[in-house]
Amino acid sequence: MRCEIGEYFLFLRRITHYKNIAKVTQSQDVMWSTICMNQSISVSVIIPLYNVKPFVNQCLDSLLAQTLTAFELLVVNDGSTDGSEMIVEEYGKKDPRIHLFHQTNQGVAIARNTGILHAKGEYITFVDADDFVEKDYLEHLYQSAIQYKTSIVVANFKSEVEGKWVENESVYVTNRLVLS
C-alpha cells in the first residue's frame, strides 16, 4: 500500500516533546535547548530509508517542491542494500537542506529516533520514503499549528489500495489536537 499524504496526514509536534522519548543525554539536552531557542528551521522532516529505491525520487521531489521552504530533510538510511542512499546523496549535493545519516538496520522506530536526535526544526514530521506529499503539505500543517497554538496537527490522507485511491478521515480529538 502506498500513501499520498497530499490530503494532509501528519503528526506535527514541537521538537521539545521528543527529547525524553529519544533518550537525550544532559549535554545533548543543553545543545537541544540552544537549538530550539535559535530557530530558523520551521519543520524537520524525518524520512526512514530502507530499500525503497523505486520511490525515493518521487518522495524527495514532492518535499523539495514545498511552498514552505524553511525545513530540513533528515534521511536516515537504515541499512539499505538496494542503493536508495545513493539517490539521496545525489539530491544532497544539490540541496543543503538534505542531511543523510547511516546506521545498521534497526527498524523504522530506531531510524525515526535517530532523526529526532538530529532535528533542528521547531516542529517535526515523519514521511515514509515510499510516500509523496502535495506542495502545500508543510505550509498548511505549520500554519495550522501556529494559528491554533497546538503541538500536534493531524489531518486526512489518501492511500492507494489495490490500484485505487481511498481517502481516510482522521477522527482523533483532544484539547491539544487540530484536525485539518
Side-chain angles (χ1 to χ4, degrees):
M1 177 172 74
R2 292 201 61 213
C3 181
E4 174 192 11
I5 309 181
E7 289 301 315
Y8 308 119
F9 168 76
L10 174 66
F11 295 95
L12 186 64
R13 300 180 182 186
R14 284 191 185 280
I15 199 166
T16 53
H17 288 273
Y18 278 104
K19 66 181 179 182
N20 293 328
I21 294 171
K23 298 180 181 176
V24 176
T25 65
Q26 190 170 11
S27 62
Q28 287 172 316
D29 192 34
V30 171
M31 179 185 74
W32 197 293
S33 298
T34 303
I35 289 169
C36 290
M37 290 173 62
N38 299 309
Q39 291 299 322
S40 61
I41 299 172
S42 300
V43 181
S44 295
V45 180
I46 299 169
I47 306 171
L49 185 76
Y50 182 74
N51 292 345
V52 288
K53 188 175 180 179
F55 308 109
V56 174
N57 289 349
Q58 184 179 24
C59 177
L60 294 176
D61 289 341
S62 73
L63 287 162
L64 293 175
Q66 293 298 296
T67 54
L68 177 84
T69 59
F71 68 90
E72 64 178 350
L73 293 179
L74 306 174
V75 182
V76 181
N77 176 29
D78 192 36
S80 291
T81 58
D82 70 345
S84 297
E85 72 282 2
M86 291 187 291
I87 294 171
V88 177
E89 285 174 3
E90 288 303 311
Y91 275 81
K93 291 176 185 176
K94 299 173 188 167
D95 194 314
R97 296 175 296 177
I98 299 173
H99 308 281
L100 178 62
F101 303 94
H102 299 277
Q103 65 183 36
T104 58
N105 183 256
Q106 299 175 63
V108 68
I110 301 299
R112 287 183 176 140
N113 283 343
T114 299
I116 291 168
L117 289 174
H118 294 282
K120 296 177 185 167
E122 179 183 2
Y123 290 87
I124 66 170
T125 185
F126 304 101
V127 174
D128 290 339
D130 63 344
D131 293 344
F132 57 96
V133 296
E134 288 187 5
K135 66 181 179 180
D136 60 347
Y137 167 71
L138 294 176
E139 182 175 15
H140 179 77
L141 293 164
Y142 181 74
Q143 293 303 327
S144 294
I146 298 302
Q147 178 182 351
Y148 294 104
K149 297 180 177 116
T150 187
S151 297
I152 303 170
V153 178
V154 180
N156 299 335
F157 66 98
K158 295 179 186 177
S159 297
E160 183 181 22
V161 179
E162 297 178 8
K164 296 181 181 179
W165 288 101
V166 178
E167 185 151 342
N168 300 284
E169 301 269 338
S170 298
V171 291
Y172 309 107
V173 179
T174 73
N175 64 346
R176 300 290 295 171
L177 184 67
V178 174
L179 297 178
S180 178

